[in-house]
Amino acid sequence: MEAVDRLEFEIKRQIDASKRCVFKVEEFQRAQDDELLLLAIQNLVHRQQLAHIGEGLYAKARENLITGNVMLDAEGGFAQVCAEALTLLNIKWQPSKAQRDYDSNLSNQIPTRAVFAVQGKRYPAIRFGKLRIQYEESL
């Protein structure tokens, strides 16, 4: 158990030192034993310090002080986490047409969903709780 605790401490220190919110599991593979790594990550998820958002993807998380539920620790919320994840996966993306129209003052409708236009055929499933990334026709 000591090896898991040490690895968990190292992972926590790494995510705390980073300005990013999203991480791939490969970034934490300092251990020779994949089972130890997964156990350490599961412990951090259980302690609400990481959130599993997709296949091999984790985001910084914290406890909501009002509800006590886990929430993403990202200033821009789920949309920021999705944008970081797409960038981390080397997927070319841009905001949705609705977001671009709002940013250009062509619309006063505030986009509320995480919708992205992506280039290519890879559409990773990113989700957190009831939130899911959505895609529109590619660039």
Side-chain angles (χ1 to χ4, degrees):
M1 214 42 158
E2 186 177 308
V4 173
D5 293 339
R6 189 170 46 251
L7 184 56
E8 185 179 331
F9 176 78
E10 287 297 319
I11 292 170
K12 178 69 172 131
R13 189 170 64 177
Q14 181 180 349
I15 62 174
D16 287 345
S18 178
K19 293 181 181 180
R20 292 184 336 199
C21 296
V22 178
F23 304 90
K24 291 193 291 189
V25 73
E26 296 90 43
E27 296 179 68
F28 304 131
Q29 289 186 334
R30 290 191 173 93
Q32 300 294 331
D33 189 351
D34 287 343
E35 285 185 31
L36 282 179
L37 176 66
L38 293 176
L39 189 56
I41 289 173
Q42 286 175 345
N43 288 346
L44 289 168
V45 169
H46 180 72
R47 290 192 179 112
Q48 299 181 342
Q49 296 172 341
L50 275 180
H52 184 250
I53 60 167
E55 188 175 329
L57 292 172
Y58 291 87
K60 286 183 182 179
R62 63 182 171 89
E63 181 182 353
N64 183 311
L65 297 177
I66 296 170
T67 66
N69 296 332
V70 65
M71 65 181 281
L72 296 173
D73 193 5
E75 192 173 308
F78 184 65
Q80 176 187 340
V81 167
C82 290
E84 279 192 37
L86 292 172
T87 300
L88 190 62
L89 294 170
N90 293 319
I91 296 173
K92 292 183 181 179
W93 64 272
Q94 67 180 22
S96 67
K97 180 175 179 351
Q99 184 68 50
R100 292 191 311 267
D101 287 350
Y102 178 76
D103 292 343
S104 302
N105 293 323
L106 297 174
S107 171
N108 60 359
Q109 297 291 315
I110 301 171
T112 58
R113 294 190 178 135
V115 181
F116 294 86
V118 296
Q119 187 175 30
K121 296 182 184 194
R122 288 182 49 204
Y123 294 85
I126 300 171
R127 64 177 93 39
F128 178 74
K130 294 180 180 180
L131 303 172
R132 291 178 182 263
I133 191 170
Q134 296 179 355
Y135 297 100
E136 63 184 20
E137 288 187 30
S138 56
L139 306 171

